[in-house]
Amino acid sequence: MKTFKAVFLLAITIITFVALDKKLGMMPPLGKFLNPFKGFWQKAELQQLPDKNFEIEGLISEVEILFDDHAIPHIFAENDHDLYFAQGYVTAMHRLWQLDFQTRFAAGRLSEVVGEKALELDRYQRRLGMTYGAENMVKELEKHPKIKAMTEAYADGINAYISSLSAEDYPVEFKLLDYKPEKWTVLNTGLLLKLMSATLAGGSDEFYMSNALGKFGPEVMNDLFPNYPFREEPIIPKGTPWKFKPIEPEASTGTSFIGHTDIKTREKREGIGSNNWAVSGSRTASGFPLLANDPHLDLTLPAIWYQIQLVGPGINVNGVSIPGAPGVIIGFNQQVAWGVTNVGSDVLDWYEIKFKNNRKEEYFHEEGWRKTSKRIETIKVRGGKTLSDTVYYTHHGPVVYTQKPKNFGKASNIPAGYALRWIAHDPSVDVATFYYLNRAKNYNDYRKALTFYTAPAQNFAFASVENDIAITANGYFPLKRSGHGKFLLNGSEKQAEWQGRIPVEHNPTVLNPPRGFVSSANQPSTDRSYPYYLNWDFAGYERANRINTRLTAMQNATADSLRKLQTDNFSVLAQNVLPLMTQALKSDHLNATEQEAFNLLSKWNYTYDAQSIAASIFEIWHKDLHKKIWDEFHDPEKPMRTPSRDRTVQLLLKEPQSRWFDVVATPVKESREQLIQASFKFAIDSLSRKFGLLGKKWQWGFVKNTHIPHLAKIPGFGSGLLFTGGSKTSVNALAESNGPSWRMVVDLGRTPKAYGIFPGGQSGNPGSVFYDDMISSWTEGQLDELLFLRSKEEKNPRIKGRLTLSKK
């Protein structure tokens, strides 16, 4: 019996060992993963900052990297090659899995890691032409040897770090998914930049706009979807003269848009926004300009940005980089500072393609047949077969789907049989802009740097110690007729195509405006006098109005003045519409809870602070009111774009008898006041059902539920609830998991001082103290002073580690 038990237990041990050492479905091999010397726990301890010397192949000279108290690297190199090599090296040291995952996602290569479940996502990314666009960027680099060398050195640095690792050193996500990092290439940098272009493009409206056009006709569409908003607060101050002779696009000879379609889509969501501004020295306490920037993006851990200082011949720059791209994207040096926000220009259009037959080798264009080209995408599937996918390219771009897949959400925004014309497919050398901005000394250098920039179009705010401030809406803007691209387009007609580009020197810009500041918050770039068409749909004016109102009143401004403005929770929207909405309520028709809510709203200061209950009530009330007003646009069989917030406010305030207040599903004709009353009752009922009796749980910080998820949504690797204020219509445009991804304020002068923070930490390792060490301060609206070193010998108590890289 004892012998039997011994044999039995030995067999169980062997079976368990074998089972734990194999990958079971999506689970990693648990034996490897739980190994205390090579598995997860190897990366779970708190990392110490390095104090080491390494010999590395690929360097020209020695590089010193100093790490401050947030693990931010300050790199000192003797030449450009070593500077960007070291940047790649330390970025990989902190963010290797993030680098790998994001570029695999962009390239459509996740199936290699997670198997068949990512197959349709991979097809989608490839069919959008992400790799095609990145390849065109790599080709364009051949014309710019200095920038090509920059990107190659960065790639070599990443690869030097990868080659120094053994399996036990891999970040935990590689162990969870049981795969290893691969060699980095310049193409990967291109993929990352194209992914950013796709993110900031924000989706497309043409599908549901065409659905609405087919249902309501052009007269209604022109009324409800005007090409310019009712409330204007343009980025370039109203009345700024245009000092150029514009190019006129050719007039249309007919209708090139498509006004009926069976496409089912999802509406483009609000959330991709940002703020920036620069204040002239005439308005500051120091007499030198101040600059602030806070780009709003989907928030993740690891963080979107990576802080860094780069010091070398002709360069000493500090700020944030994008993991995967060399240089500093938003930042400052000793002479200048800059920040960016998304323009929102229309650089993505869809063209209906008429194939000659099912072979799809030819398509009709301008009374003739043109040949398509084929791109064969090879997709490797982990645990399965290698698949091939054929994508047909026209002169417009790729036909993303000829037949859409079922049960794949992202495909719902893509029309079958349409080609995508997207500026991100064109050759570009956007990295050059940041190479030259990082070294800029004055306004002229800033203007030169912008000439290299293509996409995604950005509003570049600028300030210099020479007391210049400026802002430029910059990028490749297609030359279009007004309203062109608002709907789906006929791919057979030449008149439906872009007519080249707006000359870069004609891009909207202003230098040292009389008001003493420049600003942007994703609102329209210009007033109606600008002779070119950029888009019809921009962010609402509310954030811009609040920023400009406060900057106008600001005198003797300091860095802290700008910090407080970045975290301003006031809602101009609530200020505009809440008095009308509360006026429509009848107190004798309210129950006790509704009356208490009404009393809170009556005393509310229109500020979305975390503790505010009124903010929660107004948010749900207004959102439901918008839905009820535009009920005609809610068709489950053919979704449509609803009119903008700006048009809705105009309707509420100026058109009280509008037919749109009637709910078509009821036999009676509703009035504006009845809709307001019904939505108020819905809001109170909704909050009561979800959060119980009116009380602390109704506070906006709980209702909004701000948190930061892990990049791959791995449970336990994200943040918990962050009790904080802000809203989409506040300067502090913070939603559930979208908001200020980096806050920065720069106080220029003989010795510049800068402050910044992002919601996360420098490390991508969930077991490190530097994974999320800045989240608490960010949540509280605080900024850290950015350590700006002049030399590697400088003594500073914030320096906590040193890494010396030497030529091997």
Side-chain angles (χ1 to χ4, degrees):
M1 179 63 73
K2 291 181 180 179
T3 303
F4 173 77
K5 287 183 178 179
V7 172
F8 176 77
L9 290 173
L10 178 61
I12 291 296
T13 301
I14 293 172
I15 291 169
T16 301
F17 178 82
V18 171
L20 290 177
D21 207 44
K22 290 185 179 295
K23 184 177 175 70
L24 303 174
M26 286 304 300
M27 294 177 61
L30 295 180
K32 295 179 183 178
F33 181 65
L34 298 174
N35 186 311
F37 303 105
K38 296 185 178 182
F40 166 74
W41 301 109
Q42 176 71 15
K43 301 299 289 184
E45 79 282 358
L46 303 183
Q47 290 183 340
Q48 300 299 312
L49 293 171
D51 190 5
K52 299 178 180 178
N53 297 278
F54 289 144
E55 290 187 351
I56 296 178
E57 291 184 359
L59 287 172
I60 297 172
S61 301
E62 186 175 270
V63 178
E64 289 282 343
I65 306 173
L66 308 180
F67 292 90
D68 67 23
D69 47 356
H70 282 298
I72 298 163
H74 304 259
I75 301 175
F76 293 83
E78 296 177 16
N79 56 75
D80 276 4
H81 172 274
D82 288 355
L83 187 66
Y84 296 115
F85 182 101
Q87 183 184 6
Y89 186 92
V90 294
T91 303
M93 185 171 74
H94 283 147
R95 303 287 188 88
L96 181 57
W97 178 79
Q98 181 182 16
L99 291 170
D100 183 276
F101 180 83
Q102 289 187 150
T103 50
R104 283 182 184 274
F105 173 81
R109 294 184 53 212
L110 287 180
S111 295
E112 297 176 17
V113 175
V114 302
E116 190 175 359
K117 65 181 297 183
L119 182 57
E120 287 303 336
L121 176 60
D122 284 352
R123 283 190 174 124
Y124 172 82
Q125 293 294 99
R126 291 168 185 247
R127 286 181 160 274
L128 281 179
M130 299 289 280
T131 303
Y132 170 72
E135 288 169 351
N136 284 334
M137 188 209 82
V138 173
K139 292 175 185 176
E140 187 69 13
L141 285 175
E142 295 297 330
K143 303 175 185 177
H144 304 270
K146 185 182 294 186
I147 308 305
K148 179 185 177 186
M150 173 194 193
T151 56
E152 289 177 339
Y154 184 82
D156 289 345
I158 292 174
N159 291 328
Y161 179 74
I162 292 173
S163 66
S164 73
L165 300 179
S166 54
E168 59 262 32
D169 300 318
Y170 293 161
V172 62
E173 292 91 345
F174 286 107
K175 296 172 181 178
L176 275 170
L177 298 171
D178 190 30
Y179 78 110
K180 62 183 181 181
E182 63 180 12
K183 183 178 179 181
W184 188 269
T185 67
V186 174
L187 179 67
N188 289 36
T189 294
L191 283 163
L192 183 82
L193 296 175
K194 299 307 170 185
L195 180 61
M196 186 61 72
S197 288
T199 299
L200 293 177
S204 183
D205 285 326
E206 291 97 314
F207 323 129
Y208 26 86
M209 287 295 288
S210 288
N211 284 342
L213 178 64
K215 179 174 181 178
F216 296 108
E219 184 177 349
V220 168
M221 294 300 288
N222 289 336
D223 174 49
L224 298 183
F225 300 91
N227 284 347
Y228 201 79
F230 290 93
R231 290 154 191 79
E232 62 177 359
E233 194 85 36
I235 293 169
I236 308 303
K238 191 174 181 179
T240 300
W242 308 111
K243 300 176 181 178
F244 53 78
K245 183 179 180 180
I247 298 171
E248 292 287 343
E250 294 180 10
S252 173
T253 59
T255 301
S256 58
F257 57 80
I258 296 168
H260 55 86
T261 172
D262 60 357
I263 299 164
K264 297 180 182 180
T265 73
R266 294 170 300 163
E267 188 171 345
K268 183 171 73 174
R269 68 182 178 89
E270 183 181 4
I272 305 299
S274 305
N275 307 312
N276 64 9
W277 57 85
V279 181
S280 168
S282 63
R283 287 181 169 271
T284 68
S286 68
F288 287 97
L290 293 163
L291 181 139
N293 189 199
D294 55 297
H296 309 154
L297 296 166
D298 285 339
L299 306 177
T300 63
L301 290 172
I304 296 164
W305 302 100
Y306 183 73
Q307 282 186 249
I308 200 162
Q309 181 179 7
L310 301 172
V311 186
I315 181 174
N316 185 353
V317 65
N318 196 317
V320 287
S321 63
I322 299 173
V328 168
I329 305 299
I330 300 170
F332 67 99
N333 60 33
Q334 290 169 305
Q335 287 84 30
V336 308
W338 70 95
V340 299
T341 67
N342 202 38
V343 172
S345 54
D346 187 6
V347 295
L348 184 157
D349 286 323
W350 293 94
Y351 291 86
E352 185 181 40
I353 300 302
K354 298 177 182 177
F355 289 110
K356 189 174 185 178
N357 51 44
N358 288 336
R359 296 175 66 180
K360 301 179 181 63
E361 294 174 346
E362 295 178 271
Y363 64 100
F364 190 77
H365 184 262
E366 284 294 297
E367 301 181 356
W369 295 99
R370 297 183 65 158
K371 290 188 178 299
T372 59
S373 61
K374 292 181 183 179
R375 182 181 176 98
I376 309 298
E377 297 285 354
T378 302
I379 305 175
K380 298 177 181 178
V381 181
R382 184 170 188 164
K385 298 179 180 178
T386 297
L387 305 175
S388 294
D389 194 28
T390 302
V391 185
Y392 297 92
Y393 277 72
T394 68
H395 73 289
H396 299 294
V399 180
V400 179
Y401 286 114
T402 54
Q403 184 175 354
K404 294 207 294 185
K406 296 179 180 179
N407 302 319
F408 178 63
K410 283 182 176 290
S412 67
N413 273 7
I414 307 296
Y418 283 72
L420 171 62
R421 176 69 179 103
W422 183 26
I423 197 61
H425 290 154
D426 292 7
S428 63
V429 63
D430 303 308
V431 176
T433 290
F434 302 103
Y435 179 89
Y436 291 110
L437 265 182
N438 290 183
R439 293 164 171 77
K441 293 180 171 58
N442 50 45
Y443 173 76
N444 290 334
D445 290 347
Y446 155 79
R447 292 292 294 170
K448 175 191 172 184
L450 297 193
T451 62
F452 294 95
Y453 194 77
T454 299
Q458 299 289 291
N459 299 300
F460 283 83
F462 168 84
S464 77
V465 293
E466 296 179 355
N467 235 324
D468 284 327
I469 60 170
I471 194 165
T472 304
N474 195 66
Y476 185 117
F477 298 129
L479 182 61
K480 297 181 172 188
R481 297 181 300 278
S482 180
H484 182 102
K486 199 171 186 176
F487 307 99
L488 296 170
L489 295 165
N490 188 338
S492 300
E493 299 178 358
K494 186 174 179 59
Q495 68 170 3
E497 299 176 13
W498 300 355
Q499 299 179 32
R501 71 173 293 177
I502 297 172
V504 66
E505 61 272 18
H506 295 186
N507 286 353
T509 189
V510 66
L511 170 67
N512 298 326
R515 67 185 185 181
F517 65 87
V518 296
S519 70
S520 73
N522 315 110
Q523 77 271 34
S525 304
T526 69
D527 63 14
R528 296 171 189 263
S529 69
Y530 184 62
Y532 296 106
Y533 174 75
L534 298 179
N535 201 356
W536 69 276
D537 184 29
F538 293 90
Y541 91 114
E542 295 92 352
R543 281 185 290 121
N545 177 265
R546 179 64 173 172
I547 291 167
N548 291 348
T549 298
R550 288 196 57 180
L551 290 178
T552 298
M554 214 176 268
Q555 299 293 335
N556 297 316
T558 64
D560 200 53
S561 306
L562 272 56
R563 178 194 67 82
K564 290 177 180 176
L565 179 50
Q566 285 182 330
T567 54
D568 186 298
N569 293 330
F570 186 86
S571 171
V572 172
L573 171 66
Q575 182 185 44
N576 286 343
V577 301
L578 184 59
L580 171 74
M581 292 167 67
T582 52
Q583 187 178 353
L585 297 179
K586 297 179 179 179
S587 59
D588 57 337
H589 290 154
L590 303 179
N591 63 31
T593 303
E594 292 165 353
Q595 185 64 54
E596 188 177 355
F598 174 80
N599 293 339
L600 288 171
L601 288 165
S602 300
K603 300 173 185 176
W604 188 37
N605 61 0
Y606 310 127
T607 301
Y608 276 80
D609 292 333
Q611 297 81 8
S612 175
I613 293 174
S616 301
I617 299 167
F618 173 77
E619 181 71 14
I620 297 173
W621 184 11
H622 178 265
K623 193 173 292 184
D624 186 69
L625 178 59
H626 185 280
K627 183 179 180 181
K628 281 182 167 62
I629 291 171
W630 305 117
D631 59 309
E632 293 88 344
F633 289 79
H634 297 289
D635 183 342
E637 293 302 314
K638 193 174 290 187
M640 291 168 278
R641 166 71 188 264
T642 55
S644 69
R645 187 168 62 237
D646 176 72
R647 185 65 184 90
T648 307
V649 171
Q650 182 71 8
L651 193 82
L652 281 167
L653 299 182
K654 303 295 184 181
E655 304 170 40
Q657 304 304 320
S658 173
R659 71 180 177 94
W660 299 106
F661 291 119
D662 181 38
V663 178
V664 294
T666 66
V668 298
K669 183 178 180 180
E670 286 82 4
S671 67
R672 177 183 68 178
E673 286 68 23
Q674 286 173 320
L675 252 63
I676 291 172
Q677 293 160 12
S679 289
F680 178 72
K681 289 183 176 294
F682 171 86
I684 303 307
D685 182 61
S686 177
L687 285 165
S688 297
R689 282 186 285 107
K690 187 169 183 179
F691 298 100
L693 296 175
L694 194 157
K696 185 176 180 180
K697 290 183 180 179
W698 285 38
Q699 290 180 349
W700 178 235
F702 294 119
V703 174
K704 179 160 61 78
N705 188 35
T706 294
H707 65 281
I708 305 173
H710 182 263
L711 181 61
K713 305 295 190 292
I714 296 176
F717 285 5
S719 77
L721 170 71
L722 304 176
F723 189 72
T724 183
S727 72
K728 290 181 179 180
T729 59
S730 305
V731 177
N732 184 23
L734 181 56
E736 185 175 358
S737 57
N738 179 287
S741 60
W742 163 245
R743 293 189 182 117
M744 179 186 77
V745 176
V746 182
D747 188 351
L748 287 167
R750 293 178 182 87
T751 303
K753 281 193 172 183
Y755 308 84
I757 200 162
F758 59 70
Q762 286 290 95
S763 176
N765 175 14
S768 169
V769 293
F770 302 113
Y771 181 67
D772 57 2
D773 59 314
M774 292 186 264
I775 287 181
S776 293
S777 295
W778 175 87
T779 302
E780 295 167 1
Q782 301 302 314
L783 300 177
D784 293 325
E785 184 172 350
L786 303 183
L787 182 59
F788 186 56
L789 300 175
R790 273 65 173 181
S791 74
K792 60 186 177 183
E793 285 80 23
E794 189 174 335
K795 302 297 183 184
N796 191 293
R798 291 182 60 189
I799 298 299
K800 302 298 182 182
R802 180 183 296 265
L803 178 61
T804 302
L805 303 180
S806 304
K807 179 181 178 182
K808 192 170 186 178

